[in-house]
């Protein structure tokens, strides 16, 4: 039978709701040891005993039914609207055994809504560690509910939980205390005026502005008359209510819970003494960041070289195996180099995700929030803005959603607006390849210049985020109450399974998301590059051959030939220990006709490219980007990366593949291709220190991500902010890149 | 003048005597910041702000501004 019940998982932040959700549904939603990981409703299905099917809803954490931030509103709106299709048949309150007292406050409130309520006490594995023991029978009686003592980490008690959910009809629905005692007259009047409504629900409506289903609206509007009490009076009543609830909870726990302090091991105090220390706290934070960047380089160079070579040989192999033709060319010159351009960064991006996941799972994030609040406040941000700014290094989209737990709207808006400045993983490929090209490999006190440059770019990202926050704070005329409460969770050893899962999920999402766009764009680029615009395109071969027959090699071509010979010579010397001068010159002479052919073919390919549709478009953009030190090919890559930054490398490598006919051995990887790229008119390298730095800065500041703009629109509910972001950031990027190139060239 | 939470020094404890409900967000009360409860200052960030507290078993950080609206009675160890 298709019997399906709605089960809502409700509880304070960070109590393990999502972990319970994952255990019940077998799904894998993101878990993290920081309050506010889940900010939206997530749904899944769970099969219960006796053929009952449960529709499980994971909700953002909330401390109470009095919402103070956006993510908490989601919970209240669901619980107060009986007509919602997700309105729960059973509310499962998930609590953390270490914070039972505080967790029970929410429980007592939900009981007042007269929904069947089940209490889950999670993290049972921590009980012995903290010297906690519980009298479950006593608590069940006192709290008028059933209790499931579970540990999602040890996977204990889940079956019992499923049983209890299936038998939800047996749960008592009466409130466990009588909160209306706090002002008898007032509540009696209220009850008389609205005999059909739940008293507690009325009270919630009176004290706050929550959204209800339309049907309830009219009746509830009448409640407005009951706002007779002044705001101050209402707040005092709420305070009395809270005290009353805690009295009840204290009574229940006095007998129901014993904590043997001598048994408790306190790692927290020791770690906090160092990690939140005035000096050491910051030093450690800085060292952690430094380590991350160094590791991104040191750990991933081997797999990266491997991937790079695989893709290069794949291109070559396909050309050899498949018959010559348009499709083969599309594969070998368009799609494979385009995809290879992004896949090569999997190792580095995965490491970045790994570090972020470990920081989130360990409980360290809240300490950073604590350390940074004072500093951030100067710039109109909240300490909590640090979390979006850090997780923005993976991707700005979840980061912007993570701002929902910031209480003050102004601080939240500013955080949303500046988060795209942080270096997201889509910028990473661009940075890495350009750094590789223009920054020396040497080390400085054991730290490589290249990782240092990368770290500098990240700091520039944070710096500009913070600086623009400062300006926004001055400019924006929004008055909103600022207050700040952040819970400091216990330290936890990150669960290997959770961390790895997060890393794989995020990397997959990145690669597939980027892969789709890159695939599409590299096909477009290849097609545009293969359509000739004029007779120069179709006669390229003859034109080049004629020129060379008449005038011999031009200076640039001669230089290119010499270059090839030089490189071949060096490789010979490297490969053979005792090779003689004559042997070398013989080999070179033998190879020279091949080299000449390669030079001629390159010339033909680039003449074709110049006279293709792509070349034409490039010529149109060129004047705009010339002052920044780029050639038209980079121009095209920049234009195509307005959809998403990571497209840049894919586009470039497609263009370079189309623009060179023969791939000799040393010239096949993307990096090598970029290195040997030269300005056609001057024969100067395209990627120099000056143009490289200029590109890096352009990418650091420009707003090039459609999805981010879309999410900003969604979270701010207006087009004004994303448009402003796009215009200001991109203009600024252009100016900075211009100045940098003109100063350095 | 009575002590407020903002006057606590690192490691010191106190009992909350009153909270000015107009200035204190309800959320904080719900997290256990209520008259009669024990509070200890665990850490101070630079510039003495924010403050990392243990209130009634809950570990949380609040800004000094907020703390100055919470009245306490210091516990002095005899
Ligand atoms: N020791 C222990 N840790 C657990 C257990 N269940 C969850 N955790 C950890 O508790 C932390 C919070 O878990 P989540 O499932 O993200 O909690 P949540 O309630 O969904 O949190 P928010 O979405 O932020 O409100 C994570 O670090 C989990 O690994 C458990 O049974 N034992
Ligand atoms: Mg969650």
């Amino acid at each position: 039978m298709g019997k399906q019940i709605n089960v809502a998982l409700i509880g304070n932040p960070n109590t393990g709701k999502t972990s319970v959700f994952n255990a019940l549904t077998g799904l894998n939603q993101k878990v993290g040891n920081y309050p506010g990981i889940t900010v939206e409703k997530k749904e899944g299905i769970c099969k219960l005993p006796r053929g009952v099917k449960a529709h499980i809803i994971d909700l953002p954490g909330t401390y109470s039914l009095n919402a103070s931030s956006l993510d908490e509103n989601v919970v209240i709106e669901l619980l107060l609207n009986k007509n919602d299709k997700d309105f729960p048949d059973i509310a499962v309150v998930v609590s953390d055994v270490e914070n039972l007292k505080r967790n029970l406050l929410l429980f007592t409130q939900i009981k007042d809504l007269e929904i069947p309520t089940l209490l889950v006490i999670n993290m049972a594995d921590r009980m012995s560690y903290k010297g906690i023991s519980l009298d479950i029978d006593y608590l069940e009686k006192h709290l008028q509910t059933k209790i499931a003592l579970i540990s999602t980490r040890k996977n204990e008690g889940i079956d019992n939980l499923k049983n209890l959910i299936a038998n939800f009809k047996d749960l008592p629905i009466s409130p466990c205390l009588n909160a209306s005692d706090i002002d008898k007259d007032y509540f009696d009047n209220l009850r008389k005026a609205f005999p059909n409504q739940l008293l507690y629900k009325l009270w919630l409506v009176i004290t706050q502005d929550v959204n209800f289903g339309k049907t309830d609206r009219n009746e509830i509007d009448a409640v407005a008359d009951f706002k007779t009490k002044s705001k101050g009076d209402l707040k005092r009543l709420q305070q009395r209510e809270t005290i009353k609830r805690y009295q009840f909870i204290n009574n229940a726990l006095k007998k129901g819970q014993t904590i043997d302090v001598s048994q408790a091991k306190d790692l927290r105090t020791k770690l906090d003494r160092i990690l939140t220390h005035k000096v050491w706290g910051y030093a450690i934070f800085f060292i952690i960041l430094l380590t991350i960047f160094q590791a991104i380089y040191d750990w991933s160079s081997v797999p990266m070289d491997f991937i790079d070579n695989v893709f290069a040989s794949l291109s070559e192999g396909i050309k050899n195996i498949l018959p010559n033709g348009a499709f083969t060319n599309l594969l070998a010159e368009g799609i494979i180099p385009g995809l290879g351009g992004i896949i090569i960064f999997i190792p580095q991006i995965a490491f970045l995700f790994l570090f972020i996941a470990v920081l989130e799972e360990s409980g360290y994030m809240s300490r950073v929030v604590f350390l940074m609040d004072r500093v951030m406040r100067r710039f109109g941000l909240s300490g909590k803005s640090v979390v979006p700014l850090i997780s923005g290094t993976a991707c700005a989209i979840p980061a912007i959603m993570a701002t929902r737990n910031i209480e003050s709207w102004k601080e939240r808006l500013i955080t949303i607006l500046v988060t795209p400045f942080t270096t997201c993983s889509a910028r990473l490929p661009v940075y890495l390849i350009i750094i590789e090209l223009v920054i020396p490999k040497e080390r400085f006190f054991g730290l490589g210049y290249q990782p240092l440059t990368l770290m500098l770019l990240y700091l520039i990202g944070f710096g500009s985020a913070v600086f623009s926050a400062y300006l926004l704070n001055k400019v924006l005329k929004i008055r909103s109450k600022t207050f700040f409460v952040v819970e400091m969770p216990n330290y936890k050893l990150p669960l290997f399974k959770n961390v790895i899962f997060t890393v794989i999920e995020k990397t997959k999402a990145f690669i597939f998301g980027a892969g789709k766009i890159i695939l599409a764009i590299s096909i477009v680029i290849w097609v545009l590059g293969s359509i000739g615009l004029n007779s120069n395109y179709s006669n390229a071969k003859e034109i080049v051959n004629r020129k060379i027959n008449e005038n011999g090699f031009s200076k640039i071509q001669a230089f290119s030939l010499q270059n090839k010979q030089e490189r071949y010579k060096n490789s010979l010397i490297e490969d053979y220990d005792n090779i003689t001068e004559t042997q070398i010159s013989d080999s070179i002479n033998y190879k020279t006709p091949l080299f000449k052919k390669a030079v001629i073919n390159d010339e033909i390919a680039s003449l074709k490219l110049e006279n293709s549709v792509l070349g034409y478009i490039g010529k149109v953009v060129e004047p705009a980007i010339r002052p920044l030190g780029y050639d038209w090919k980079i121009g095209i890559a920049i234009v195509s990366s307005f959809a998403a930054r990571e497209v840049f490398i894919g586009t470039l490598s497609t263009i370079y593949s189309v623009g060179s006919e023969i791939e000799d051995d040393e010239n096949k990887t993307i990096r090598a291709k970029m290195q040997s790229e030269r300005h056609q008119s001057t024969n100067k390298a395209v990627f120099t220190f000056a143009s490289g730095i200029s590109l890096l800065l352009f990418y650091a500041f420009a707003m090039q991500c459609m999805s981010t703009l879309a999410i900003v629109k969604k979270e701010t509910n207006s087009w004004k902010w994303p448009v402003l972001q796009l215009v200001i950031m991109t203009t600024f990027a252009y100016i900075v890149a211009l100045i940098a190139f003109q100063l350095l060239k | 003048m009575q002590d407020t939470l903002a006057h606590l020094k690192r490691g010191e404890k106190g009992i909350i005597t009153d909270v000015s409900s107009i200035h204190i967000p309800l959320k904080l009360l719900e997290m256990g910041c209520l008259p009669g409860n024990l509070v200890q200052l665990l850490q101070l960030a630079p510039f003495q702000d924010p403050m990392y507290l243990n209130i009634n078993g809950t570990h949380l950080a609040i800004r000094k501004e907020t703390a100055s609206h919470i009245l306490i009675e210091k516990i002095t160890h005899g």
Side-chain angles (χ1 to χ4, degrees):
Chain A
M1 216 185 73
K3 197 164 61 171
Q4 180 162 328
I5 56 170
N6 281 332
V7 180
L9 297 175
I10 308 168
N12 287 10
N14 215 28
T15 52
K17 294 174 297 299
T18 306
S19 304
V20 173
F21 177 85
N22 290 345
L24 287 176
T25 59
L27 292 176
N28 272 304
Q29 286 295 341
K30 184 182 170 178
V31 167
N33 190 12
Y34 173 74
I37 292 284
T38 311
V39 292
E40 276 187 324
K41 218 158 63 173
K42 293 276 161 58
E43 301 167 45
I45 295 290
C46 168
K47 286 215 173 64
L48 296 177
R50 299 203 328 248
V52 184
K53 226 164 82 185
H55 171 229
I56 315 268
I57 307 155
D58 182 23
L59 291 162
T62 175
Y63 288 103
S64 86
L65 288 184
N66 303 303
S68 60
S69 63
L70 204 69
D71 49 343
E72 298 182 344
N73 250 335
V74 177
V75 181
I76 296 145
E77 280 171 21
L78 176 68
L79 286 179
L80 292 191
N81 184 4
K82 274 219 157 79
N83 300 309
D84 194 311
K85 69 168 181 17
D86 289 335
F87 184 79
D89 297 295
I90 167 173
V92 174
V93 177
V94 181
S95 63
D96 161 6
V97 72
E98 286 180 56
N99 291 303
L100 205 50
K101 194 192 290 175
R102 195 193 62 224
N103 291 183
L104 285 176
L105 179 78
L106 178 65
F107 172 83
T108 66
Q109 293 176 330
I110 291 179
K111 283 289 277 179
D112 280 2
L113 289 173
E114 304 188 356
I115 304 172
T117 307
L118 177 69
L119 181 63
V120 168
I121 301 181
N122 188 24
M123 314 214 189
D125 54 300
R126 305 271 300 175
M127 285 169 68
S128 61
Y129 186 75
K130 286 279 167 183
I132 301 173
S133 48
L134 297 172
D135 181 344
I136 298 289
D137 287 338
Y138 178 85
L139 285 174
E140 280 187 341
K141 213 163 23 218
H142 211 91
L143 301 172
Q144 300 187 36
T145 183
K146 288 274 175 212
I147 294 179
L149 186 62
I150 67 166
S151 161
T152 56
R153 189 161 275 208
K154 294 257 152 63
N155 207 13
E156 282 165 5
I158 306 293
D159 287 333
N160 179 37
L161 171 62
K162 286 183 183 171
N163 259 323
L164 289 172
I165 295 177
N167 296 324
F168 72 100
K169 293 230 165 83
D170 301 343
L171 292 168
I173 56 167
S174 50
C176 49
L177 80 159
N178 198 351
S180 61
D181 278 358
I182 48 173
D183 188 336
K184 270 214 163 67
D185 295 343
Y186 178 76
F187 283 99
D188 278 345
N189 280 335
L190 197 58
R191 194 178 288 129
K192 272 182 211 137
F194 303 95
N196 300 327
Q197 288 281 359
L198 214 58
L199 193 62
Y200 185 58
K201 189 167 160 182
L202 292 170
W203 174 235
L204 285 178
V205 176
I206 290 171
T207 47
Q208 57 198 314
D209 313 303
V210 264
N211 207 1
F212 301 94
K214 286 211 179 64
T215 36
D216 281 358
R217 192 82 244 182
N218 294 337
E219 189 168 352
I220 283 171
D221 273 347
V223 164
D225 301 341
F226 273 86
K227 297 196 173 176
T228 43
K229 293 193 178 263
S230 73
K231 251 202 156 129
D233 280 344
L234 283 177
K235 266 202 109 172
R236 251 184 297 276
L237 263 185
Q238 280 181 310
Q239 184 175 345
R240 288 240 288 279
E241 176 199 345
T242 311
I243 294 174
K244 170 119 193 159
R245 288 183 191 278
Y246 267 117
Q247 275 169 355
F248 169 81
I249 294 164
N250 284 337
N251 275 334
L253 289 182
K254 211 179 275 165
K255 277 205 182 146
Q257 172 183 260
T258 34
I259 302 180
D260 184 351
V261 191
S262 64
Q263 294 267 313
K265 308 187 186 81
D266 207 2
L267 182 65
R268 172 206 285 270
T269 320
K270 286 189 200 124
L271 275 177
D272 273 340
R273 207 165 283 154
I274 314 169
L275 293 181
T276 60
H277 187 271
K278 275 179 216 179
V279 180
W280 300 127
Y282 290 98
I284 290 172
F285 184 42
F286 193 72
I287 290 172
I288 289 179
L289 291 182
L290 207 65
T291 315
I292 293 178
F293 293 113
Q294 188 67 46
I296 287 181
Y297 265 93
D298 288 351
W299 297 357
S300 43
S301 61
V302 175
M304 284 181 74
D305 286 345
F306 173 74
I307 297 175
D308 206 3
N309 285 319
V310 165
F311 268 86
S313 344
L314 205 62
S315 254
E316 235 172 330
I318 282 193
K319 274 195 167 172
N320 291 336
I321 295 166
L322 293 180
N324 253 342
F327 179 70
T328 310
N329 280 344
L330 172 61
L331 260 181
E333 291 174 355
I335 296 177
I336 293 179
L339 286 182
I342 196 73
I343 289 179
I344 184 171
F345 296 103
I346 290 183
Q348 281 171 319
I349 286 170
F351 278 126
L352 180 69
F353 290 159
L354 176 80
F355 284 113
I356 296 177
V358 169
L359 289 187
E360 279 179 350
E361 263 283 297
S362 62
Y364 183 64
M365 277 306 198
S366 294
R367 275 66 188 183
V368 179
V369 169
F370 170 72
L371 280 178
M372 299 300 284
D373 180 62
R374 180 60 209 253
V375 184
M376 301 304 269
R377 217 180 321 156
R378 289 229 172 129
F379 302 102
L381 296 167
S382 152
K384 290 184 181 178
S385 311
V386 175
V387 177
L389 291 181
I390 290 181
S391 67
T393 54
C395 177
I397 293 160
I400 285 172
M401 308 219 332
T403 60
R404 290 191 188 173
N405 74 347
I406 298 177
E407 295 91 345
S408 138
W409 164 241
K410 185 174 178 182
E411 289 174 351
R412 175 160 177 253
L413 177 66
I414 295 180
T415 311
I416 291 177
L417 292 179
V418 303
T419 295
F421 274 119
T422 49
T423 307
C424 67
S425 51
R427 284 186 180 100
L428 196 57
V430 183
Y431 284 178
L432 291 170
I433 210 154
I434 294 173
I435 288 177
E436 181 78 32
L437 286 176
V438 304
I439 304 291
K441 268 218 157 68
E442 272 91 73
R443 279 176 183 253
F444 177 72
F445 287 116
L447 293 166
Y449 280 118
Q450 297 190 341
L452 281 177
T453 311
L454 185 66
M455 173 139 175
L456 197 69
L457 282 163
Y458 274 82
L459 290 180
I460 288 178
F462 288 126
S464 38
V466 167
F467 180 69
S468 26
Y470 178 78
L471 294 181
L472 283 167
N473 188 31
K474 292 261 132 88
V475 175
L476 289 178
K477 293 273 173 286
I478 301 174
R479 280 163 53 81
S480 73
K481 241 191 279 161
T482 55
F483 84 90
F484 169 87
V485 181
V486 65
E487 213 195 323
M488 310 288 264
N490 249 319
Y491 292 102
K492 291 214 175 83
L493 206 61
L495 203 59
F496 183 73
K497 200 181 83 195
N498 283 350
V499 171
I500 290 303
F501 184 79
T502 312
V503 171
I504 293 177
E505 270 307 286
K506 279 199 192 168
T507 312
K508 252 189 2 210
F510 177 83
I511 296 298
F512 286 120
K516 264 184 283 176
I517 310 177
I518 288 173
L519 191 66
I521 290 192
S522 40
I523 293 176
V524 171
I525 295 285
W526 179 84
V527 168
L528 292 180
S530 310
I531 303 175
L533 262 191
N534 51 32
S535 59
N536 280 356
Y537 183 89
S538 36
N539 303 331
K541 201 167 178 179
E542 289 82 63
I543 294 174
V544 170
N545 280 333
R546 177 153 34 86
K547 253 197 204 148
I548 291 176
N549 283 339
E550 282 169 13
N551 311 332
F553 272 10
S554 71
K555 238 196 197 149
I556 294 178
Q557 288 158 348
F559 178 79
S560 164
L561 178 66
Q562 208 184 336
N563 228 343
K564 283 187 164 46
Q565 291 170 330
E566 202 84 353
R567 260 191 294 173
Y568 183 59
K569 181 175 164 186
N570 289 340
S571 75
L572 282 178
I573 295 175
E574 228 173 74
D575 289 351
Y576 304 98
D577 281 342
N578 34 22
I579 192 166
T580 63
E581 282 293 324
T582 42
Q583 276 171 318
I584 290 179
S585 67
D586 280 352
S587 309
I588 290 180
N589 283 340
Y590 172 75
K591 275 265 192 179
T592 297
L594 272 180
F595 290 151
K596 278 190 175 153
K597 182 129 195 283
V599 171
I600 295 172
N601 279 335
D602 273 353
E603 192 66 29
I604 296 172
S606 75
L607 187 64
K608 272 184 155 175
L609 188 61
E610 257 172 79
N611 289 291
S612 65
V613 178
L614 192 67
Y616 180 75
I617 302 175
K619 290 278 146 44
V620 174
V621 257
E622 188 159 27
I625 47 142
R626 187 99 247 201
L628 311 188
Y630 317 148
D631 69 352
W632 66 269
K633 295 176 187 170
I634 300 180
I636 292 206
I638 289 182
V639 172
S640 67
S641 66
F642 264 92
R645 301 177 175 95
E646 58 273 38
V647 170
F648 179 78
I649 299 294
T651 308
L652 266 191
S653 57
T654 303
I655 297 181
Y656 291 151
S657 299
V658 179
S660 72
E661 200 60 32
I662 280 196
E663 312 204 339
D664 52 274
D665 269 353
E666 310 95 86
N667 216 357
K668 59 188 178 181
T669 65
I670 302 158
R671 243 180 279 168
K673 279 180 197 154
M674 290 175 76
Q675 194 143 36
S676 56
E677 191 63 17
R678 280 163 195 283
H679 283 291
Q680 271 143 347
S681 45
T682 55
N683 195 32
K684 290 216 178 89
V686 170
F687 292 95
T688 59
F689 186 69
S691 68
I693 298 291
S694 157
L695 254 183
L696 289 176
L697 290 173
F698 185 83
Y699 271 81
F701 298 122
M703 177 73 220
Q704 294 167 290
C705 180
M706 303 278 196
S707 327
T708 302
L709 291 173
I711 198 86
V712 172
K713 151 81 178 52
K714 190 170 152 228
E715 296 290 313
T716 59
N717 240 329
S718 121
W719 276 112
K720 178 167 126 198
W721 302 115
V723 169
L724 224 66
Q725 253 177 337
L726 177 68
V727 174
I728 293 181
M729 287 177 70
T730 309
T731 317
F732 183 64
Y734 187 88
I735 295 171
V736 172
L738 178 72
I739 295 174
F741 179 71
Q742 296 301 336
L743 286 181
L744 292 171
K745 76 169 178 189
Chain B
M1 202 192 78
Q2 216 186 340
D3 280 332
T4 74
L5 198 50
H7 294 105
L8 273 187
K9 296 203 181 61
R10 234 185 68 177
E12 283 184 337
K13 293 180 186 172
I15 300 277
I16 299 175
T17 52
D18 196 10
V19 284
S20 124
S21 52
I22 320 160
H23 295 106
I24 299 296
L26 187 60
K27 183 169 169 186
L28 199 55
L29 306 182
E30 289 167 342
M31 289 173 93
C33 181
L34 290 167
N37 281 343
L38 184 72
V39 46
Q40 183 182 18
L41 180 68
L42 299 176
Q43 282 286 353
L44 280 169
F47 305 104
Q48 323 286 307
D49 194 12
M51 313 172 84
Y52 177 1
L53 305 162
N54 176 351
I55 300 183
N56 199 27
T58 297
H59 295 81
L60 47 83
I62 59 175
R63 290 181 183 164
K64 193 163 195 167
E65 212 281 316
T66 315
S68 67
H69 295 292
I70 300 169
L71 300 182
I72 57 157
E73 203 169 289
K74 273 193 200 172
I75 299 177
T76 38
H77 290 280

